Amino acid sequence: MKMDLVSTLKVLLDGTIVTVELTVISFVIAFSIAIVVSLAQIYGNIPLKIIATVYERILRSIPLLVVMFILFFGLPSFGIRFNPFMAAILSLGLCSSAYQSQIFRGAILSVPKGQTLAAQSIGMNGTQIFVHVTLPQALRFAVAPLTNEFTIVLKDTSFAYALGVTELLREGTYIVSTTYEPLLIYLLCAAIYFTVTFSTNTVVRRIEKRFALPGFEFRGERA
Amino acid sequence: MIHFINVFVNAFPFLMDGLVFTVELALSSIAIGFVIGIIVGISRSYGKKWSYMISTGFVEVIRGTPLLVQLFIFYFALPQIGIRLSPIIASIISFSINSGAYQAEYIRGAIQSVDTGQMKAALSIGMTKWQAITRVVMPQALIKVIPSWTNEFVYLIKYTSVAYLVGVPELMAQGEFIASRNFEFMNVFLSVAIIYLVIVLFITWGFSRIEKMVRMPGV
Amino acid sequence: MKVLQIKNLKKRYGEKEIIKGISFEMEKGETVVVIGPSGTGKSTMLMCINRLTEPDGGEIYLNENQITGSKHPEIFRQKIGMVFQEFNLFNHLTVLNNVMIGPMRVKKFSREKAESIAKENLKKVGLELQMHAYPAQLSGGQKQRVGIARALAMEPDLILFDEPTSALDPELVGEVLEVIKKLAREGMTMLIVTHEIGFAKDVADRIIFMENGEIIEEGVPSLILNNPSQERTRQFLAKFMEGR
């Protein structure tokens, strides 16, 4: 069957847009949850610490696909029905929040203890210390691992395929089923994913360089 | 609650069948991935222009594209050029290559953190570069890499669940099968989740024990 | 009025008693230098005074008000300045902001007022030209002088110095000691823990010798350094003399 390159690319582009939507929304959801969880783990009382730790431990141990299926197939028996898109972003958001909470926790704990001592010595209270001394430094430590996590979420959106969400991979599969050119199409999909991750990394690195403060090393480790 | 336990107990044997595949996939992938990782990692650390560029390209591409896409290429796309792989083989190859790329980075990191002074010292007592790599740098690097295996193994146990999408009867697939057969989605998938949770916790615990045994002061 | 009174201060770490019941007092304008072997609780004592570490026993009075047991240490910490061995400058802030942040955020002064206080104190330590630099760009001696300016900006009644020159290369020690001498001349009340015996001789109104968490001896420099009454003091000083 003759393949029309232009309409193929258009379909893949539609899929890419959905992929990006999934990524960004999930990432933001995860970010918000993760802040709360990490603060609970560091500054919370014992019950809070336990709840937070149990939360992130469980969500880091269960496959994303399982979470998706529980939310999409399992919840209806309790009367909660999500459409595929919602189930996907919730699953992605929950799983990523567990990883992001550890990133924040690591970043906050990386701020040297002497900074806190100095802040206390000039009479700052706990909140002031966190807002003016700990947070600004922790955020800078968190940038590299968070970028890494962003690309991980981006790649994981391909799992939404299993729920029927029309993201990039599923669109690709539809085209394959009509044109029987799996190699080309899937390689194209791979190329698109690669381009997006590569551009994201490059852009973030540029921004990092621009806002770098002398003496601050951005830690470039994999989470 | 009682109903849940009922479902769990009944599903358990079938889920265990699936778990066998899951563990098989994960173990073989991490092992093959390790070999790939060493080759690529050394190439990235010590290779000359061409091998460095190829290995870097390999790592960047694999880490920049989703595992699922890689799996689909091996299972759905290769037949187009005449290579037909069974679901399991396609999965193992795909996961191994994926794991290899990530392990290559861990190994490269470990090699670089083994003091460059080590290389200088080895060369100064007359070793060739190759001897220095294999007898001095790599042993220390490999010890440093062990903690990352925990990460990698857990990652693989979780991500092998996508093999379900190409028809491998691993844990996830078994769960889906039982769930739709019996209309017990929530209970079955919760059971699946619990099994994964237990496995992952066990692996994490096990590896930290191994780590303690292999720890060398100063490395 | 006595600026600082310490009565029977005690501090334990686990089983070990680090500070075994210390008592002394300081008058306004006095410079007291504490010397003694490493690890004998001198720094711990300083950290107890502004309760960065909690004492396990005893009482501390600032301007004759008891500060041990108060539930809001941040209030009296505004009146006690501290200069750290490791400087602990805020890495993400310029020199000017480092000194400004106390007056602005803790004392809630306006930005203009905080800035002028900061500039004044930076001038005092000789660093007004480096206002917009970041800590990582400064030498050790400069960092420590910023640390002093930061403490001064809060207009404290007492400044604690925890081994202020120990982390500095030898050629940088002098510039910091000069600043401290200047503060002494201007009447600041200071409690300094240091290894620099020579400096103690120069600037101290009183020297305290501490060993193993106890005060062995205290008195004016000429007495302690030249004619100590305790044997342990003698031994400690002897090590310093021959070590040179």
Side-chain angles (χ1 to χ4, degrees), chain B residues 166-178:
Chain B
V166 297
V168 176
E170 44 70 66
L171 178 52
M172 188 70 206
Q174 293 287 74
E176 206 274 329
F177 180 67
I178 301 172

Side-chain angles (χ1 to χ4, degrees), chain C residues 35 52 66 91 93 99 111-112 123 138 143 152 161 186 192 200 222 228 230 238 243:
Chain C
I35 60 175
L52 289 185
Q66 187 174 24
N91 296 317
L93 299 176
V99 181
R111 182 174 279 271
E112 295 77 41
K123 206 182 272 190
L138 303 177
K143 282 187 211 175
L152 286 174
F161 290 81
E186 291 173 0
I192 308 176
S222 50
Q230 299 291 324

Side-chain angles (χ1 to χ4, degrees), chain A residues 112-126 128 132-134 136-137 140 213-216, chain C residues 47 50 52 74 77-78 80-82 84 88-93 101-102 105-106 108 134 136-137 150 154:
Chain A
K113 180 141 200 277
Q115 301 287 295
T116 312
L117 287 179
Q120 284 175 317
S121 77
I122 56 174
M124 285 191 176
N125 63 34
Q128 291 170 326
H132 297 297
V133 175
T134 310
Q137 298 187 53
R140 287 180 166 90
L213 292 181
F216 251 101
Chain C
M47 304 266 272
N50 64 359
L52 289 185
E74 56 267 16
R77 281 184 191 141
Q78 295 182 36
I80 304 178
M82 190 165 213
F84 298 86
N88 290 337
L89 296 187
F90 300 130
N91 296 317
H92 60 299
L93 299 176
I101 195 172
R105 301 288 183 195
V106 178
K108 312 275 194 220
Y134 282 91
Q137 298 169 311
R150 179 175 62 182
M154 297 296 288

Side-chain angles (χ1 to χ4, degrees), chain C residues 161-172:
Chain C
F161 290 81
D162 187 1
E163 312 247 15
T165 56
S166 297
L168 296 178
D169 292 334
E171 64 269 18
L172 299 174

Side-chain angles (χ1 to χ4, degrees), chain B residues 1 30 47 52-54 57 64 89 109 126 138 142 155 180 206-207 214:
Chain B
M1 185 61 188
I30 206 178
Y52 176 77
M53 279 177 49
I54 294 179
I89 300 292
M138 285 312 289
L142 290 180
Y155 173 87
S180 45
F207 265 90
V214 196

Side-chain angles (χ1 to χ4, degrees), chain A residues 125-197:
Chain A
N125 63 34
T127 315
Q128 291 170 326
I129 298 177
F130 184 76
V131 169
H132 297 297
V133 175
T134 310
L135 190 59
Q137 298 187 53
L139 279 178
R140 287 180 166 90
F141 288 141
V143 171
L146 277 180
T147 317
N148 192 35
E149 181 63 21
F150 186 81
T151 55
I152 291 177
V153 174
L154 179 68
K155 291 182 290 177
D156 283 354
T157 56
S158 56
F159 285 31
Y161 165 92
L163 297 183
V165 178
T166 52
E167 42 71 58
L168 178 53
L169 185 59
R170 186 153 277 280
E171 295 285 38
T173 308
Y174 285 151
I175 299 178
V176 168
S177 62
T178 57
T179 63
Y180 302 101
E181 293 268 7
L183 196 54
L184 179 61
I185 302 296
Y186 285 136
L187 281 177
L188 255 178
C189 289
I192 296 178
Y193 277 111
F194 183 76
T195 310
V196 180
T197 48

